[in-house]
Amino acid sequence: LNTSLTLANLPLMDIRPVIAFKVTEQLSLAAGADVYTFTDIYGRGHAVTQFQSSGAPGLPPPGTPLEFNGKDTSVGLNLSLRYTPCLADGNRPWCSFGFQYRSQTRLDLDGQFLAAGTALLNTRTTFVLPQTFTFGVAVWPVLSKDHEWKVEVDLVKTDWSAFQNTDVHLSTGAVIPVPRNWTDTLTVMVGTEYKWIDPAALVHWDVKARAGYLYSTTPVTSQPFDPAVPDSNSHTLSVGMGFLC
């Protein structure tokens, strides 16, 4: 597989300015942008794929280090709402529903084709970021002046079927095919949070303990194979604490 891939790096940053508006005590709306760009804060500041030449016709001698790189900036849209039909005393919710949409966008990664560190040709690769739909519901089984307990379930549908290839277009007019053929995915997230309100040990503070579980199906199909991306379903556990003065 060393002729297929030796290194892949995608230091992509998502900058998301959002404006939210509280329509009523029960309904809030938000809209914003997703500004996708590359940064050299970490990684190499651009997308990088490195491999070794197989010595096939048109390629340098076998074992020659090869690299494709590129970067771009693109903007997407996100919309969300929160609806809270169940309000207890003091306008605290005991159930709430949420929805978020993030639009599809694409990055045209302009870069270079390098052999043994020497730039040979200019390249362009299209990288599609899919649209996503997120649905969530939260309930508070415990809601008192001293304690709150929240349980939340979220579903995320990601349209990875838009990610069909990352073909490399060379400045000579030639195209190096890199098929992907990914499929849509569904992610299930379950989380819980227990909050102590103004506990005796920390007066004027709220203390929160959190835990969660995430299950996501893989978008990667069995053909073609690419060792850069894990191709198994994922299970993720998380724990956390929060302190608010």
Side-chain angles (χ1 to χ4, degrees):
L1 292 176
N2 64 338
T3 59
S4 173
L5 183 81
T6 57
L7 181 144
N9 188 265
L10 189 72
L12 185 64
M13 178 180 289
D14 180 8
I15 303 170
R16 187 184 302 178
V18 175
I19 297 176
F21 179 68
K22 186 176 181 180
V23 182
T24 69
E25 289 297 327
Q26 296 176 306
L27 178 64
S28 296
L29 304 175
D34 286 284
V35 182
Y36 300 100
T37 190
F38 286 87
T39 173
D40 56 8
I41 295 176
Y42 63 99
R44 298 166 182 257
H46 49 230
V48 176
T49 301
Q50 293 180 350
F51 55 102
Q52 293 182 5
S53 175
S54 63
L59 291 179
T64 302
L66 304 180
E67 176 181 315
F68 293 114
N69 60 47
K71 62 181 179 180
D72 187 25
T73 297
S74 183
V75 179
L77 171 72
N78 65 75
L79 303 168
S80 58
L81 67 84
R82 182 190 184 198
Y83 179 55
T84 308
C86 321
L87 296 176
D89 293 340
N91 290 328
R92 289 193 296 172
W94 62 266
C95 78
S96 184
F97 302 89
F99 170 76
Q100 183 187 67
Y101 168 75
R102 295 176 69 182
S103 68
Q104 175 180 304
T105 187
R106 54 178 272 173
L107 293 152
D108 293 319
L109 307 179
D110 292 320
Q112 295 179 319
F113 173 43
L114 291 81
T118 300
L120 301 180
L121 298 168
N122 293 326
T123 64
R124 168 169 284 197
T125 303
T126 298
F127 190 89
V128 176
L129 297 171
Q131 64 180 359
T132 64
F133 303 86
T134 303
F135 306 87
V137 57
V139 295
W140 283 258
V142 175
L143 197 63
S144 69
K145 66 181 183 65
D146 298 318
H147 303 88
E148 291 183 6
W149 176 32
K150 181 175 74 169
V151 178
E152 182 171 341
V153 178
D154 299 314
L155 297 176
V156 183
K157 181 180 181 296
T158 306
D159 290 347
W160 278 115
S161 57
F163 191 61
Q164 289 299 298
N165 69 77
T166 51
D167 293 350
V168 180
H169 297 259
L170 304 177
S171 54
T172 60
V175 178
I176 300 176
V178 185
R180 299 293 181 177
N181 302 322
W182 285 15
T183 60
D184 296 346
T185 63
L186 184 66
T187 300
V188 181
M189 296 177 284
V190 181
T192 185
E193 176 185 270
Y194 196 87
K195 179 166 71 172
W196 293 267
I197 302 172
D198 203 18
L202 286 172
V203 180
H204 307 305
W205 287 78
D206 291 345
V207 180
K208 302 176 183 180
R210 305 184 179 104
Y213 167 73
L214 179 152
Y215 170 74
S216 181
T217 57
T218 178
V220 181
T221 55
S222 58
Q223 292 294 332
F225 173 74
D226 182 356
V229 183
D231 61 351
S232 61
N233 299 332
S234 63
H235 302 264
T236 305
L237 296 173
S238 62
V239 294
M241 295 290 295
F243 300 88
L244 177 66
C245 180

